[in-house]
Amino acid sequence: MNKHKIAIIGSGPAGYAAAIYTSRADIDTTIYAGEEPGGQLTKTTEIENYPGVMGKTGPELMLIMQEQATKFGAKMVYETVSDLDKLRSEYDGVILAMGASPRLLGVGEEKYWGKGFSTCAVCDSAFYRGKNVCVVGGGDAAIEDAVALTKFATHVTIFVRGSEFRASKIMQKRVEANSDKITVMWKTNLKKIEGDRVETLTLDIDGKEEVVKTDGLFFAIGHKPATDFLKNTKVEMDTEGYVKPGNGVWPTMTTVEGVFVAGDCSDHRYRQAATAAGTGVQAALDIERWLESK
Ligand SMILES: Cc1cc2nc3c(=O)[nH]c(=O)nc-3n(C[C@H](O)[C@H](O)[C@H](O)COP(=O)(O)OP(=O)(O)OC[C@H]3O[C@@H](n4cnc5c(N)ncnc54)[C@H](O)[C@@H]3O)c2cc1C
């Protein structure tokens, strides 16, 4: 019998975890790596919360995952997929694992990844014990991040673009409850970041320029799933572009038969390497059983 052939779109934790399982299950597996081989973790330094891994940086962890997947036969293709239907005609099944990128402001922040700038408070708050930090954003995520940071940081300042929060009332109450550790600055836009690490921020506060010092800068202004190329397909997505999983008996299958999904491109809640890898495993097991059932 010919081997089943599948394609995995994305080479982050979800894509590699899926590939480890499918290639070990003797399914011919091709990983399309996209523009960011290794995914979002390649932007960061030490990873402290991936079970079983200590003392490794994000890029090191992703190389280990790649090695583990290719050791069992998965093939890497360094291309970006733009046509799902064409890919479906070439393979017996597809796993979507394209991730979701944090939204940025374009004020030079990309130079500071791992040097005082982060978009993941759950991942990085513990590095800011006894420090002063700032959070950009006015929604639930910004407040959640600010409150999480108060456990470690001495003080947290939230920069809100408008004159009120977009966050829910219940979240706003959490700011009030932590008012000794959280300051809110309204009508505040970040304009410039300076220092070898994040050190000096230039702000526009209601039209007036002000310069402040900080030890860390967190953005909580949303994420964008890398799903634009699915717009003209039958893969159902929510209003923000996250792929909707769950098709009858196959929890990770999308609305298109044989197309499965894993990781941050279908998750706006957890967004962690371990949860992405976990759903990658689920998608791999589902695609394997679905192929056998055909
Ligand atoms: C700075 C930073 C630090 C973080 N730190 C931590 C941490 O310490 N611990 C933790 O658990 N989580 C952390 N996270 C979150 C974690 O990185 C993500 O939750 C995780 O990487 C999501 O995995 P994923 O496989 O779903 O997607 P991603 O890692 O985003 O990977 C997506 C992959 O899809 C590819 N791709 C996209 N579109 C296409 C296409 N059309 N064709 C082909 N390929 C495509 C990309 O090139 C990439 O390889 C951090 C995130 C950031 C940004």
Side-chain angles (χ1 to χ4, degrees):
M1 197 181 99
N2 283 339
K3 265 189 175 190
H4 286 123
K5 260 176 74 175
I6 68 147
I8 295 174
I9 311 180
S11 58
Y16 283 145
I20 291 164
Y21 272 68
T22 54
S23 51
R24 279 193 82 232
D26 211 24
I27 295 170
D28 186 326
T29 301
T30 302
I31 302 168
Y32 287 84
E35 284 173 15
E36 192 174 47
Q40 291 174 61
L41 278 193
T42 57
K43 290 198 171 94
T44 193
T45 49
E46 193 176 349
I47 307 295
E48 290 191 325
N49 58 3
Y50 194 86
V53 174
M54 287 172 78
K56 296 273 181 238
T57 64
E60 285 167 350
L61 174 59
M62 296 319 296
L63 276 182
I64 296 170
M65 286 194 205
Q66 180 182 337
E67 225 175 277
Q68 201 175 350
T70 52
K71 179 181 151 193
F72 296 115
K75 288 166 284 215
M76 298 295 300
V77 174
Y78 292 92
E79 285 174 18
T80 297
V81 174
S82 56
D83 187 340
L84 178 66
D85 290 331
K86 180 164 174 280
L87 204 69
R88 284 179 65 217
S89 68
E90 293 165 3
Y91 293 90
D92 299 315
V94 175
I95 296 177
L96 306 172
M98 295 87 60
S101 330
R103 290 188 196 273
L104 301 178
L105 291 177
V107 291
E109 62 272 40
E110 292 197 63
K111 198 173 122 193
Y112 293 100
W113 287 117
K115 292 183 184 167
F117 169 61
S118 173
T119 52
C120 182
V122 173
C123 316
D124 294 334
S125 350
F127 297 124
Y128 292 87
R129 197 179 288 279
K131 308 272 187 196
N132 287 311
V133 297
C134 299
V135 174
V136 175
D140 281 357
I143 296 184
E144 200 166 304
D145 284 4
V147 173
L149 279 157
T150 59
K151 291 195 192 124
F152 302 94
T154 312
H155 201 85
V156 182
T157 306
I158 310 179
F159 303 145
V160 183
R161 201 171 40 177
S163 49
E164 56 187 46
F165 279 120
R166 280 179 295 104
S168 56
K169 288 277 172 282
I170 193 154
M171 292 305 284
Q172 296 187 36
K173 285 215 170 95
R174 292 178 66 188
V175 174
E176 286 160 27
N178 286 281
S179 59
D180 56 327
K181 291 191 91 177
I182 300 179
T183 303
V184 183
M185 289 174 64
W186 306 108
K187 295 189 180 173
T188 301
N189 285 290
L190 176 63
K191 290 291 170 195
K192 199 158 72 179
I193 310 164
E194 283 169 296
D196 289 336
R197 289 178 50 84
V198 170
E199 195 182 309
T200 309
L201 307 179
T202 304
L203 307 172
D204 174 328
I205 307 171
D206 200 12
K208 262 180 67 190
E209 188 174 293
E210 193 169 307
V211 176
V212 297
K213 294 264 180 209
T214 191
D215 301 310
L217 177 65
F218 286 77
F219 280 9
I221 51 175
H223 282 72
K224 187 179 183 316
T227 55
D228 282 354
F229 75 104
L230 300 177
K231 274 182 189 148
N232 298 322
T233 70
K234 294 207 161 62
V235 173
E236 201 183 328
M237 295 179 277
D238 69 13
T239 49
E240 290 173 77
Y242 287 90
V243 175
K244 286 188 179 175
N247 179 348
V249 287
W250 309 107
T252 61
M253 196 192 274
T254 66
T255 37
V256 174
E257 175 85 4
V259 178
F260 296 75
V261 67
D264 285 12
C265 66
S266 70
D267 169 20
H268 38 66
R269 188 177 179 89
Y270 301 107
R271 285 198 288 257
Q272 293 295 291
T275 52
T279 55
V281 173
Q282 290 175 331
L285 293 173
D286 279 351
I287 204 168
E288 184 189 348
R289 288 168 193 166
W290 172 77
L291 287 167
E292 279 164 12
S293 75
K294 288 213 305 169

